[in-house]
Amino acid sequence: MTQLHAVNLHDYAALAQERLAPEAWAYLAGGAGDEATLADNAAAWAALKLLPRVLRPLHPGHTQVELLGRTWAHPIGLAPVAAHGLFHPEAEAGTVLAAAAQGAACALSSQGSTPWAELVALVKDEPGRGPLWAQGYWQGSLTRTLALFEQAAKAGMEAIVFTVDAPVHGARDRERRAGFVLPAELSKANAVLGSHPPLPAFEAPPLCAGLLVHAPTWAELQALIAASPLPVIVKGLLHPDDAMQARDLGAAAGWVSNHGGRTLDTVLPTAAALPAIRAAVGPAWPLIVDGGIRRGTDVLKALALGASAAFIGRPAVQALAVEGARGVAHAIRLLRDEFEIALALCGCATPAQLHPGLIHKA
Amino acid sequence: MTQLHAVNLHDYAALAQERLAPEAWAYLAGGAGDEATLADNAAAWAALKLLPRVLRPLHPGHTQVELLGRTWAHPIGLAPVAAHGLFHPEAEAGTVLAAAAQGAACALSSQGSTPWAELVALVKDEPGRGPLWAQGYWQGSLTRTLALFEQAAKAGMEAIVFTVDAPVHGARDRERRAGFVLPAELSKANAVLGSHPPLPAFEAPPLCAGLLVHAPTWAELQALIAASPLPVIVKGLLHPDDAMQARDLGAAAGWVSNHGGRTLDTVLPTAAALPAIRAAVGPAWPLIVDGGIRRGTDVLKALALGASAAFIGRPAVQALAVEGARGVAHAIRLLRDEFEIALALCGCATPAQLHPGLIHKA
Amino acid sequence: MTQLHAVNLHDYAALAQERLAPEAWAYLAGGAGDEATLADNAAAWAALKLLPRVLRPLHPGHTQVELLGRTWAHPIGLAPVAAHGLFHPEAEAGTVLAAAAQGAACALSSQGSTPWAELVALVKDEPGRGPLWAQGYWQGSLTRTLALFEQAAKAGMEAIVFTVDAPVHGARDRERRAGFVLPAELSKANAVLGSHPPLPAFEAPPLCAGLLVHAPTWAELQALIAASPLPVIVKGLLHPDDAMQARDLGAAAGWVSNHGGRTLDTVLPTAAALPAIRAAVGPAWPLIVDGGIRRGTDVLKALALGASAAFIGRPAVQALAVEGARGVAHAIRLLRDEFEIALALCGCATPAQLHPGLIHKA
Amino acid sequence: MTQLHAVNLHDYAALAQERLAPEAWAYLAGGAGDEATLADNAAAWAALKLLPRVLRPLHPGHTQVELLGRTWAHPIGLAPVAAHGLFHPEAEAGTVLAAAAQGAACALSSQGSTPWAELVALVKDEPGRGPLWAQGYWQGSLTRTLALFEQAAKAGMEAIVFTVDAPVHGARDRERRAGFVLPAELSKANAVLGSHPPLPAFEAPPLCAGLLVHAPTWAELQALIAASPLPVIVKGLLHPDDAMQARDLGAAAGWVSNHGGRTLDTVLPTAAALPAIRAAVGPAWPLIVDGGIRRGTDVLKALALGASAAFIGRPAVQALAVEGARGVAHAIRLLRDEFEIALALCGCATPAQLHPGLIHKA
């Protein structure tokens, strides 16, 4: 139990910082460079001004969305974060149980502390649970990458989240100053057989060192989608043209993300990137968004601007650090309630009624 | 008597914070979410730059406005706030006496600590007093809502302020952290007979819980206006289309408000919403505005941009907390004098001479 | 002698604050309301970005300007400030001697501590001195106002600065909190015979109290210009239409000013008002500007945007407070040198070469 | 060795401030006036938002650029700074060795602590070194200026950097307050024979004192280019017309600079000046840029907006102050690695692929 009763996601961040070792906190909370994008992501949602409507029928209302062939209880999900074992002994098990209990979508990193199969088994039969997705990177070859994702399919995952915005590690000064190195024993639960060249670290510059030979291109994405045992969601889109290309290659959905400001700094915040991407890909193709979502009003704005769902990364792991599964469930509940209230206060009975006109054009 | 002599409304806020218990202060001063709208409301008025005129005739001058069939000594009023008894033993009696002494309009909450009839009786025959209005919410049915407002009419109120922007409570984190609950004995003075379902609290999400069955729609507003014993002022308008609809349904006036930033956060500040609403409803329909009015220049700008009158919420109650009726009267006087000086310094002899050209277009 | 050697005008402000009694500092440094205009005035000059030119001929160069029938050594002057005796025993004598030594224009308030005649006598025959102007307000009637200005003419003043932006006092909260009252014995050196109703103070609202019967209008200005023994400069212009009207009535020059942010708060800063005024009145009519001029680059920008000269108010009096005439002379010298350097670094040999293209259009 | 391990250029600034005497720090870190341009330079790069592309081929990749007839390992160089001996005993020798080891271009000030010939001799035969340039000012006559630059040619320099934005010293208040004077023995290593009038100091205003007789104009630049033994790079351009004129007179390259905010304050930041200059001069003429480059993303943005290379001034000298040549080499390495990572994360295999579309248009 915590002394400060958390009433919003900010509280969980503050409580987690108190509890975690400085290096773990640096890894969890930090971003690339001067952390401008980290701050901009959250500020960009907050800066959007709502123009709510009144006296509209709110009954019968609900927060459900239809997405990727399934009904979600609400449009909030958990973005993939590596190595939950760093933050709490319950690790990914705590996270996945909490997500299931709150009906939230859950994307689980390939660099987790717990094998996917174990995690899916924990919640597979939970009636109200949200979708379970496996997230991974290109593994140097199509064969190896498919091996990873077949592992996910076999475990019972419903989709693949394929991250394309981190062909090399970003320069995370906070981590480097704290001397943080991701412990192998907490991040290799889903590693494929054989030794894969790790993502090139900052000290070994990628271009000259030739490590980028292994970085994937659109051709590799196309092959991956064709051969994948599961629908592929392409994560890390900021440019409308890239989103259109992913859609045209058959990706099941796009994920607007700047990797939470952890790879490249001074990047366009996702709230600013989303509208042009929605306009480019048309109304039908599902779009996930993450980056700076901290309030129910942020979720609402994301959907009003064209997102199909909004995902949180750091906040859920911060809640895990504070109270394990109980903290994560509470954090999702807080955000979900805030979203529901915001929906009603904007005059919308359901998420489907959200539209860009609810955001004031400055 | 206070040690710091208040020379403006900010001083009353500082003095009230010193005097009130932390929970009462959290309830009075707080807003929804991160309190962005609370701050934006005041900042938006301050950010408007005046372009004053010189050497214009200022005599004979006055601050009177004609509004809703009556002459007001000046265009400043007190917005409804619940449970004045929380802040000072004089409660709403102190407020209403001060308003009457200063000729200010006074809108009294249905969730007050003192019955409307008692309050009206105190000042009904005061020659220079301003209008007295009763504010309330939808009571779950037309019958119950009319019962509340007939009570207001019987008490001698002159108009009804019907609040439409809070079908559910907002998430006020500051209150929740302070563990504040509005005491029933200080907020039920005007409760109608029978037990009414209270506004759904944050912990019971409105849409799923079905409580919004009771939220009013435009149809209910229309019926209410048709049957109301008093003119109805619709409070909580931010969108021009909603304002036009309220006007077309026969509302006596519109009230541009975001509930002082207490329901939904990151909403458009009222100073930014007002011009488009005035443009939409035309010059004749009266428009009240509140939200962040702290200076005489704010009142002047509100009128220049199309408001018929400008109301303050928290500042009057803060002055009540500091010195009861005497504080409230002084606070109104300060604001009124600031307005009068600003009027003269802008080259206007009367409020009717105010116009949008006095605000610099950036 | 001071311990901190002042190298710019900011230093004189800091040093003056250390030396002055809090009430005198509040009077000198304070502004109206929340002092937003006070801050905006300086910030608006700083925010203008220079686009300097290189390799242009700088020889022969100088800082002289031709203005109101006279060559000025440089375009910097001292704006009128009341009661210099409050700040240093040398009072206006110190100021006027310093201005003369530095060739700066000097406008002396009618509410000074020293009679105009004494001040003019001190420097009249100084060969390099700048122009000497007498500043005053409407005195309730044309006769009384002319009496004041004939006194100025007799003393040897060269022009009248007629202030039109303060028909009533502004609400200066800092002064009121400090309990400051302008001492009559330090501000009546030029008072005309007979007891004149003082400017209405804040506690006596102007419109209702009828004091504005005495506020001047365009008709009074016209009569004053017609009868004035000296050229009349109209001070307090912010709107282009008002500037054009003053020019058309025969004023010798206009003075773009918001009274240093001391009367009305949240007014357009003078840097923002100047370009439209210059565009409206055409290139020939002289325009003085004050408000927030603290750096040589501010003087340069003022001239580039159409001002004929730039005046400082508080900084000179702050330097007086620190070291009397010696401080004022040094302050003018610092600003003049900064201006000269800025002129050369912008690629201009003389002030006449300054033009709006030196300011970047954002 | 330092206690804080520097992981970025900001760290070197902090460490240098700890180690340097206050006067040397004031000289190195300070800027003109209120140091607004100093801050704006860095902020302007950071404010540009990247819009990276994904899944593009990154192999084979490199950071090389072709510039002024030579292949550079990367587009980062060291801008000229006077008197390195003030900051570390290794002085310019440390700097030039570090630059050579890291393949960085190095521009060496004529006001250095070590003769050019000695410096060139140290690294001339280093295979991977970058270009070596000599920087200087007009020396009062063409003969004297050519004498200086012939000295550079004889030493083995490859180009002349001719600085045109400082015909007079700026007003650097921080230096003046610290009482700093550039020691002759540390800044005269390349002085030409005979005593030359030094640049006019602040206390001797340039225009009136007639010292600007010696400031060069376009005619002098033309003569210098015609007679120069080496290609001439014109440093200090902010206006597109000046850049075109330099190009048309035969300058080998232009250098967009505001002298690091050290001469004139509130100048346009170089990041804002660069695009219009590139548009004006066309794609072929090489453009160097400096001012506020602190991150690899800054280098990337500079090239995306049309720069051919990006130079750092203070950061390299700060690293020199901390650890001599070793610090400088590490600082260049950090920036180079950041640039390489940013290049890959923007989807570009080489600097030649950078283009304005990578910067979001707000």
Side-chain angles (χ1 to χ4, degrees), chain A residues 4 7-8 10-11 46 48-55 59 295 301 333-334 337 340-343 345 360, chain B residues 33-34 40 165 167-169 173 176-177 202 205 207-208 213 216-218 236 238-239 241-242 263 266-268:
Chain A
L4 168 62
V7 303
N8 57 40
H10 305 314
D11 291 346
L48 296 170
K49 301 296 180 208
L50 292 167
L51 194 47
R53 307 301 299 265
V54 297
L55 294 172
H59 185 77
R295 286 287 188 182
K301 290 168 182 176
R333 183 81 234 171
L334 287 172
D337 287 355
E340 191 166 355
I341 294 197
L343 197 63
L345 291 174
H360 176 69
Chain B
D34 295 314
D40 285 351
D165 62 2
V168 295
H169 266 174
D173 296 355
R176 291 157 69 204
R177 187 163 291 125
F202 184 74
L207 299 174
C208 303
V213 179
T217 68
W218 291 105
L238 286 174
H239 197 290
D241 291 350
D242 286 346
T263 54
T266 69
V267 172
L268 193 65

Side-chain angles (χ1 to χ4, degrees), chain D residues 222-246:
Chain D
Q222 186 166 23
L224 182 64
I225 291 173
S228 172
L230 293 170
V232 174
I233 300 163
V234 178
K235 178 167 180 283
L237 302 170
L238 287 174
H239 197 289
D241 291 352
D242 286 346
M244 284 193 287
Q245 193 159 354

Side-chain angles (χ1 to χ4, degrees), chain C residues 114-213:
Chain C
T114 323
W116 285 333
E118 278 184 34
L119 297 172
V120 175
L122 276 175
V123 296
K124 205 177 174 63
D125 302 323
E126 195 70 36
R129 73 161 171 86
L132 294 164
W133 298 344
Q135 176 273 348
Y137 296 91
W138 183 252
Q139 299 293 312
S141 72
L142 181 61
T143 310
R144 291 178 54 86
T145 309
L146 284 174
L148 177 67
F149 291 152
E150 273 151 16
Q151 197 170 298
K154 198 174 143 201
M157 292 292 188
E158 298 163 48
I160 293 301
V161 176
F162 184 61
T163 302
V164 298
D165 62 1
V168 295
H169 266 176
R172 277 180 235 151
D173 295 355
R174 210 197 301 198
E175 270 178 40
R176 289 157 68 204
R177 187 163 292 124
F180 177 82
V181 181
L182 193 59
E185 72 276 16
L186 293 176
S187 60
K188 296 280 188 199
N190 305 295
V192 292
L193 285 183
S195 130
H196 166 62
L199 287 186
F202 184 74
E203 279 70 18
L207 299 175
C208 304
L211 290 171
L212 286 174
V213 178

